[in-house]
Amino acid sequence: MKIFEPAAIGPVSLRNRVVKAATFEGRTPDALVTEELIDFHRGFAAGGVGMTTVAYCASSPEGRTDRHQMWMREEAMPGLVRLTDAVHSEGAAISAQIGHAGPVANSKSNRATALAPTWQISPLSLRLTRSATKSDIDRIVADHARAARIAVTAGFDAVELHFGHNYFVSAFLSPALNRRSDQFGGSLDNRARVARAVASAVRAEVGSEIAVTAKLNMDDGVPGGFWLDESLAVAQWLEADGSLDALELTAGSSLKNPMYLFRGDAPPLRDFAASFPQPQRAGIRLVGSKFLRSYPYREAYLLDQARQFRSVVKLPLILLGGISTRATMDLAMAEGFEFVAMARALLREPDLINRMQNDERSTSLCIHCNRCMPTIYSGTRCVLAHEGDRR
């Protein structure tokens, strides 16, 4: 396989094997598509990616991490159509990341209690979450299917189901967050019921009209959390269910250890705190150093874990984490991964893929400083590029 060869994910054909990974855009102030959001994704499409991923398309209004985030409903349809048309006009495919934030949702901002497998105090909203009932779970599963239908109608080529970062589905998978004693707790088989139900409901709704992928945590990066051996089993079950066309492999907890995914320098604490309202701002300044840990950056830093999935499933796999050079892309292809997903490097240079395709010696200007992280609620961007610093 070669990185710039056309490839297919389920029924959708991509012009190459590079996916713009989902990153909060911060460009939906009324929870609807804006011209700024369209321009954001049009830039990656014009820059050469095979597919760009829109984040975050919440399945339910209470499933947002902030009330300004988009949630999938009929009112959003006109903007979604403009968005997909714009990306298609540049020759790229477009995916909608569908999910429910669960305990990561900001109940104060959403004006709705956040739902979790079992109650806890949310470190993000500093409010109690509520343990989801069977009725809540059934509704949220159905909401994912309804959101996927909206994506089909709006012209999306794929949906990515968010099973990572301790959002609703991921929280059910985590022994640290799921302390239930009913059919959704305890054994891994029980804890995986929500993930399998969501994927099956979405597949039943969309059939082969669009591709269905999932972003699955390999490792929460927290003591007692979801770990690699369990994730491997869940991946095999999802493959056996026949509900997915590909898996994107991720890691980390938005609740307790977000830098486990990002790696590299932690963003300045004052900048990160400033992106939140009070009292979260004060709390982050007080204890944020324990939350925003620094992990050494290296290229393809999730490869060691991800290659273990390659040995147990035949599903197409999307390698994420530290993909910023042509050499790393070629390594991913040599290791048997069908696609790579990129985020920070493309925030720095939306046209990076075109440049790499024209000159394989081209290198990314991203230095993995993670100063982009605090911008997620005000318009996600590379701060260095915005300042005009090219190196």
Side-chain angles (χ1 to χ4, degrees), residues 17-340:
R17 299 172 182 270
V18 181
V19 176
K20 165 60 178 68
T23 49
F24 283 150
E25 298 95 349
R27 289 167 169 82
T28 55
D30 298 315
L32 295 167
V33 172
T34 61
E35 292 306 312
E36 289 78 13
L37 182 68
I38 293 172
D39 290 343
F40 184 76
H41 285 283
R42 192 196 331 251
F44 302 122
V49 300
M51 181 164 70
T52 186
T53 311
V54 181
Y56 168 75
C57 304
S59 62
S60 319
E62 85 284 353
R64 296 172 288 172
T65 63
D66 178 86
R67 72 176 180 275
H68 301 294
Q69 287 171 349
M70 184 164 55
W71 63 283
M72 300 295 270
R73 61 206 193 279
E74 289 300 323
E75 185 184 359
M77 187 67 73
L80 292 170
V81 171
R82 295 199 313 276
L83 172 58
T84 58
D85 284 348
V87 169
H88 289 152
S89 72
E90 300 291 349
I94 182 168
S95 177
Q97 185 191 67
I98 293 173
H100 188 290
V104 184
N106 189 325
S107 57
K108 181 179 180 181
S109 177
N110 290 336
R111 302 183 181 97
T113 303
L115 298 174
T118 43
W119 73 269
Q120 61 180 287
I121 296 176
S122 168
L124 300 176
S125 65
L126 302 180
R127 294 187 177 191
L128 282 176
T129 64
R130 178 169 66 80
S131 180
T133 65
K134 175 64 164 56
S135 177
D136 291 325
I137 294 168
D138 290 344
R139 174 182 61 80
I140 290 169
V141 168
D143 283 348
H144 278 79
R146 177 191 51 77
R149 173 50 56 189
I150 290 174
V152 172
T153 305
F156 283 88
D157 303 285
V159 291
E160 177 188 274
L161 308 179
H162 201 327
F163 293 175
H165 308 160
N166 287 168
Y167 282 44
F168 189 79
V169 172
S170 174
F172 271 85
L173 290 169
S174 171
L177 298 176
N178 183 348
R179 302 183 301 277
R180 299 172 76 105
S181 58
D182 63 0
Q183 69 197 87
F184 299 103
S187 69
L188 178 61
D189 183 63
N190 283 351
R191 286 183 279 120
R193 287 181 188 274
V194 174
R196 298 177 75 177
V198 166
S200 294
V202 169
R203 174 58 75 193
E205 176 62 39
V206 305
S208 60
E209 293 179 77
I210 60 172
V212 180
T213 72
K215 192 169 193 173
L216 178 68
N217 253 26
M218 298 184 289
D219 168 16
D220 289 350
V222 299
F226 190 57
W227 182 241
L228 185 64
D229 57 345
E230 293 192 325
S231 187
L232 288 166
V234 171
Q236 291 174 291
W237 293 341
L238 290 168
E239 180 177 51
D241 291 343
S243 52
L244 298 178
D245 294 306
L247 273 175
E248 182 174 308
L249 301 169
T250 189
S253 168
S254 294
L255 282 174
K256 297 183 178 182
N257 195 3
M259 291 304 299
Y260 193 73
L261 167 62
F262 290 100
R263 311 295 168 97
D265 297 334
L269 195 57
R270 65 181 182 279
D271 293 346
F272 193 80
S275 66
F276 289 85
Q278 296 289 9
Q280 294 100 313
R281 184 179 303 173
I284 289 171
R285 286 177 173 168
L286 183 65
V287 299
S289 59
K290 296 180 180 179
F291 179 70
L292 293 174
R293 308 166 195 169
S294 290
Y295 290 89
Y297 176 86
R298 71 176 192 275
E299 283 284 308
Y301 51 79
L302 295 181
L303 177 59
D304 290 344
Q305 293 166 295
R307 61 161 55 103
Q308 298 186 54
F309 289 78
R310 183 68 294 162
S311 66
V312 301
V313 298
K314 294 183 173 62
L315 274 174
L317 296 179
I318 305 168
L319 182 65
L320 174 74
I323 314 291
S324 60
T325 69
R326 175 65 186 273
T328 303
M329 296 176 184
D330 292 340
L331 173 63
M333 299 296 103
E335 291 271 357
F337 294 90
E338 284 79 6
F339 302 89
V340 299

